[in-house]
Structures are given as structure tokens and as C-alpha cells.
Amino acid sequence: MKLYIALSALVAVALCAPLHYENDPEMVKVIARRRLPALEHEEVHDEYGQFALRYVTAEGTVVSERGRLVPTARGGYVLVTEGEVSYIGDDGELYITKWSAGIDGYHSETNHPLVAPEPVQG
């Protein structure tokens, strides 16, 4: 049992070790851009919990989200959130995902839906 715990700890330490990309100049540029602060940042809140936010990163990622109170059939209120994220992927394509969450559940749509890989025949 002690051996299992020791091996598990060693694996955990190895997996947490920092990755070194000094030899990959493209990855160094990507990491440097990701560490830059947001180019634009807007955020508004009110006393009822409603909000709107939008920010743009140095990489060109745009995130916007808003939450608003909507009356329910029982006379209460529910916070409905809607948002959108867009970014340019490593393949140069523009990826856009829109979502909403509220009374009728969570819904999302994207211009690049995920496709499951083909099963391996063995």
C-alpha cells in the first residue's frame, strides 16, 4: 500500500511539472500573448444581480455575457443568462459559441460542432 501511495505521489508530481517551451518560438509567442491583459473590458452590475460584461483579449478572443431577471409563472424571478464567445483557433478558423440558460434550461449553438471520432475496430 505504501508503494502505491508513493508511486501515485510521484506520478502527480511529474504531471504537475512545468512544461518548457523555450525551444519552440511559436509557443513562446502564444504564451506571451495569453499573459497580456484584456484590450477591452466593460462590466456593469445592478443591485438586483443583473449584469452585462464584455472583454476582448490580445489574442482576439471576444467574450460577452449578460444576465437579466425574468418573471416566472409563479410570481418570482429567475436570472436568465445569455452569452457568446468567439476566437480564432489554431487552424485559423473563427469559432463562435452562443448560449443561454434560464427557465427552459441550457441551450448552446456553435458554428463548429464537435464531431466524435470514429470507433477503432479491434
Side-chain angles (χ1 to χ4, degrees):
M1 183 66 174
K2 290 180 186 177
L3 179 62
Y4 176 75
I5 293 172
L7 286 175
S8 297
L10 286 173
V11 168
V13 168
L15 290 174
C16 294
L19 300 174
H20 299 286
Y21 294 107
E22 293 87 16
N23 297 334
D24 185 354
E26 192 62 35
M27 187 56 76
V28 170
K29 290 179 195 175
V30 168
I31 291 171
R33 267 196 315 265
R34 289 183 178 166
R35 289 184 177 160
L36 292 173
L39 300 176
E40 296 178 30
H41 182 254
E42 303 169 27
E43 196 166 341
V44 178
H45 296 270
D46 72 6
E47 64 272 13
Y48 303 109
Q50 300 179 108
F51 65 92
L53 67 89
R54 181 176 186 278
Y55 64 88
V56 179
T57 68
E59 291 182 292
T61 301
V62 179
V63 177
S64 62
E65 185 174 352
R66 83 178 185 153
R68 57 189 169 84
L69 290 173
V70 175
T72 64
R74 295 184 177 172
Y77 290 90
V78 67
L79 184 68
V80 174
T81 58
E82 303 165 328
E84 180 177 322
V85 174
S86 65
Y87 65 94
I88 298 174
D90 294 336
D91 57 2
E93 295 285 325
L94 177 64
Y95 289 80
I96 301 172
T97 302
K98 298 179 183 183
W99 75 91
S100 65
I103 297 171
D104 58 347
Y106 176 82
H107 303 279
S108 67
E109 61 183 64
T110 180
N111 65 339
H112 284 77
L114 295 175
V115 178
E118 293 294 321
V120 177
Q121 300 296 329

